[in-house]
Each structure stands twice: as C-alpha cells, then as structure tokens.
C-alpha cells in the first residue's frame, strides 16, 4: 500500500518549516502529496508550486498535481472565472444558472491545457482533475449544460437524430422520465444527449493531456454516463489515464450506516472493473469537514478500500 495526502501549496510550505511536521510525515510513511495546482476560482502562483516541488524533491516525496476545472455544482459560494472570454456558466434544464460551475467549452479546455503545460515545465509528471469534471450532480437524471449555445451545438452535431422542432422543452421529458417509459425516437434523442455530454468530458481529458504528463480524473460516487463520465471512452482516449474513486461517507454519521458502506464498496468495485490496472487507481479517502471522521472510522474506511483492491490510498 502507498499512502498519499492532499494539501495546498501554502500548507506544505508552512508545514515543512517545522521539524515536527517533517518527522510526523516520515512516521506516517507518506509516499507523496497531491497538491492543488489549478483552481478555476483563483490563480495559484507558479512560484509557489515550484517552491513546493523543490522541497518535496529534497525530502524524497512524490508530487501529483491536482486541479478544480469547472467548479463544484451548487457548491461553496465561490465564483469561477466566468469573465474569461469563451467561458460560461452551466445552465440546468430550466435554463437557470448552476452556480458556481462552468460549462465545458473549447476555450476553457485550451486555457486549462495551458495550465498543464506550465505544470509540466515545472517538472510535474502526474496530474488529477477533481470530481467537478462532470456534467451534473450526484445521482439524479441525465444532466448537462442546457444553455442556448450548448443546445445549438447539440442540434448541429446530432441533426440526423433530433426532431426538426427540437427545443429545451422537447428535451425535458426525455431527460427526466425513466427510459422504459420513452418511445423509440425519444430513447434515441436521450442517448444522443448522453453521448454529447460524454464526448465533452472525454475530449477534455484527451485535449488537456500534455506530453510527459500522465493525466487523471476523479470519478465521483456512482458517477456514470448520466453525468458525462464514460470510463471506457476516457481510457481509449487517454490509455494511461489515472483514476481516483471512492468519494463519499465523509463523516461518522454517514459512514456508520451499513447500507452506505455497501454503496461505497459497490461504487468502488464497479468503477475499478472499468478502469484497468489497479496501480493507476487511487482512493478518495475524504474527511469533511476536518475531523468529521474519527481516526477509527477513517481506519475502517481505508480497510474497506483495501479490501476492494485499492493499492494507492489518498487522504483528503
């Protein structure tokens, strides 16, 4: 088992000034750190990242970059960089803004690819996009961005499938109703929309992959094609893709429910079955907020993850 820990650059810069911190990291047998190096809500200075890498190299730790590419849907009240030319906020099926979350656009992909080019120039050779790289919230219906621009792009891309009178209103019942209740032409429209959303994330992964840097994606609990996450397609587009799995059960109240532990296990196993080489798969052993899982429950969570076959345990 290899043990990794997530941290922000400044946290480590401050921490490694302490001999006690360095001693405790060695005692915990930490392999390395996932460092937040890209965040759409703010700029993280390259000088800060370079200084952290220098320290970790000198101390013998690995470094994996980590980035928030879109912003968590309906998450913290933190705006993303929507003022960038060519970016826009995602909209739901009712044409309401999904705050604070960007839609995936060609310009957003190009801008974030440039961030990874900069990471590679600093010597970073592994990178994870966080679980906000998805087209919708946890569980729920088929999702995506339903703004006018995205609907127009979908209509052009899938013009051989969609009806001539296509509109947001025509798409609504196809999205929210159960597949078994849909007519054949509605099922075809639904599948076209799902494929359109999956293509966006798969293209994002392919286009942000930089030579010499192994790209990766975190897949949220039970994340699948409803959310634009097509793991086999991503593996085909990025053959050496890294994956993180197992997000959920952040606190004692959630983790101590047996049904939740089964759900966590099932999600991990289902995802791992699609992801291939376990050496490229990391856990997402999140405790949120700080201290919400007791040490014993965190230990039990790691044991659960190890029983699933996870070799890289990532503490967050």
């Amino acid at each position: 088992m290899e043990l990794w820990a997530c941290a922000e650059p400044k946290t480590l810069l401050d921490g490694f000034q302490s001999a006690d911190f360095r001693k405790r990291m060695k005692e915990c047998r930490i392999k390395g750190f996932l460092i937040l190096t890209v965040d759409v809500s703010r700029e993280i200075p390259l000088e800060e990242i370079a200084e952290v890498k220098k320290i970790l190299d000198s101390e013998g730790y690995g470094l994996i970059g980590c980035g928030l590419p879109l912003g968590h849907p309906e998450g913290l009240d933190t705006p993303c960089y929507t003022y960038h030319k060519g970016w826009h906020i995602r909209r739901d099926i009712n044409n309401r803004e999904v705050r604070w979350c960007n839609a995936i656009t060609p310009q957003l992909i190009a801008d974030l690819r440039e961030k990874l080019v900069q990471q590679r120039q600093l010597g970073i050779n592994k990178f994870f996009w966080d679980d906000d790289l998805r087209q919708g919230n946890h569980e729920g219906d088929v999702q995506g961005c339903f703004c006018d621009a995205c609907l127009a792009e979908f209509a052009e891309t899938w013009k051989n499938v969609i009806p001539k009178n296509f509109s947001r209103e025509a798409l609504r019942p196809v999205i929210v109703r159960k597949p078994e209740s849909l007519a054949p032409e509605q099922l075809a429209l639904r599948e076209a929309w799902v494929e359109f959303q999956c293509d966006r994330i798969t293209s994002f992964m392919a286009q942000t992959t930089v030579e010499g840097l192994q790209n990766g994606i975190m897949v949220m609990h039970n994340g699948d094609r409803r959310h634009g996450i097509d793991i086999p397609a991503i593996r085909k587009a990025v053959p050496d893709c890294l994956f993180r799995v197992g997000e959920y059960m952040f606190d004692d109240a959630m983790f101590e429910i047996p049904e939740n532990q089964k759900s966590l296990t099932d999600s991990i196993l289902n995802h791992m079955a699609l992801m291939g080489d376990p050496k490229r798969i990391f856990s997402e052993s999140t405790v949120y907020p700080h201290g919400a899982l007791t040490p014993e429950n965190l230990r039990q969570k790691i044991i659960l993850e190890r029983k699933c076959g996870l070799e890289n345990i990532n503490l967050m």
Side-chain angles (χ1 to χ4, degrees), residues 108-110 112-113 116-117 129 203-210 213 215:
L108 177 141
I109 293 175
L112 293 182
R113 174 186 168 80
L116 264 63
V117 169
W129 295 108
S203 295
F204 179 101
M205 288 299 299
Q207 293 179 51
T208 59
T209 297
V210 175
L213 188 149
N215 208 358

Side-chain angles (χ1 to χ4, degrees), residues 98-112:
V98 180
R99 303 176 72 187
W100 296 96
C101 183
N102 282 301
I104 296 175
T105 66
Q107 189 59 54
L108 177 141
I109 293 175
D111 290 345
L112 293 182

Side-chain angles (χ1 to χ4, degrees), residues 64-283:
I64 300 176
C66 185
L68 301 173
L70 303 180
H72 283 78
E74 304 295 354
L76 300 176
D77 192 25
T78 303
C80 47
Y81 288 157
T82 53
Y83 52 81
H84 280 195
K85 185 177 181 181
W87 295 32
H88 66 263
I89 284 279
R90 184 187 298 166
R91 287 184 173 270
D92 66 17
I93 188 64
N94 298 307
N95 201 26
R96 298 174 303 200
E97 284 190 347
V98 180
R99 303 176 72 187
W100 296 96
C101 183
N102 282 301
I104 296 175
T105 66
Q107 189 59 54
L108 177 141
I109 293 175
D111 290 345
L112 293 182
R113 174 186 168 80
E114 181 57 31
K115 296 286 187 183
L116 264 63
V117 169
Q118 295 171 348
Q119 309 283 298
R120 186 68 195 109
Q121 290 170 346
L122 292 176
I124 295 173
N125 58 17
K126 288 183 172 63
F127 189 90
F128 270 115
W129 295 108
D130 203 50
D131 75 314
D132 57 313
L133 183 52
R134 49 185 157 100
Q135 292 290 75
N137 291 337
H138 177 248
E139 301 293 0
D141 302 311
V142 169
Q143 298 171 59
C145 180
F146 298 88
C147 73
D148 292 342
C150 289
L151 289 175
E153 182 182 348
F154 170 66
E156 176 61 27
T157 304
W158 290 88
K159 56 188 173 185
N160 295 329
V161 173
I162 66 174
K164 292 182 180 179
N165 60 342
F166 174 75
S167 65
R168 184 181 292 106
E169 289 66 33
L171 188 59
R172 187 193 312 275
V174 173
I175 297 303
V176 302
R177 286 167 52 190
K178 298 294 183 183
E180 56 268 23
S181 69
L182 300 176
E185 63 273 13
Q186 291 177 311
L187 275 173
L189 178 58
R190 177 188 174 98
E191 181 55 30
W193 179 258
V194 169
E195 192 66 30
F196 179 66
Q197 302 308 319
C198 291
D199 284 347
R200 286 193 159 185
I201 289 184
T202 301
S203 295
F204 179 101
M205 288 299 299
Q207 293 179 51
T208 59
T209 297
V210 175
E211 184 177 356
L213 188 149
Q214 193 174 7
N215 208 358
I217 180 173
M218 176 184 165
V219 181
M220 71 174 175
H221 183 76
N222 287 336
D224 56 33
R225 284 171 54 84
R226 289 171 300 168
H227 317 103
I229 304 167
D230 187 332
I231 294 170
I234 291 171
R235 283 186 63 194
K236 185 176 180 180
V238 186
D240 66 344
C241 187
L242 299 169
F243 293 96
R244 278 156 63 201
V245 299
E247 181 199 36
Y248 205 29
M249 317 309 161
F250 307 139
D251 56 42
D252 291 333
M254 296 175 71
F255 182 75
E256 290 173 357
I257 298 173
E259 291 82 0
N260 285 351
Q261 293 186 29
K262 183 181 185 304
S263 179
L264 178 61
T265 299
D266 290 346
S267 178
I268 291 172
L269 292 176
N270 289 338
H271 284 151
M272 289 185 71
L274 298 172
M275 290 173 175
D277 186 357
K279 289 183 170 56
R280 292 189 285 108
I281 307 174
F282 289 64
S283 79

Side-chain angles (χ1 to χ4, degrees), residues 291-303:
L293 270 176
T294 61
E296 178 56 26
N297 276 342
L298 177 57
R299 177 175 172 273
Q300 291 301 321
K301 187 175 183 180
I302 292 171
I303 289 173

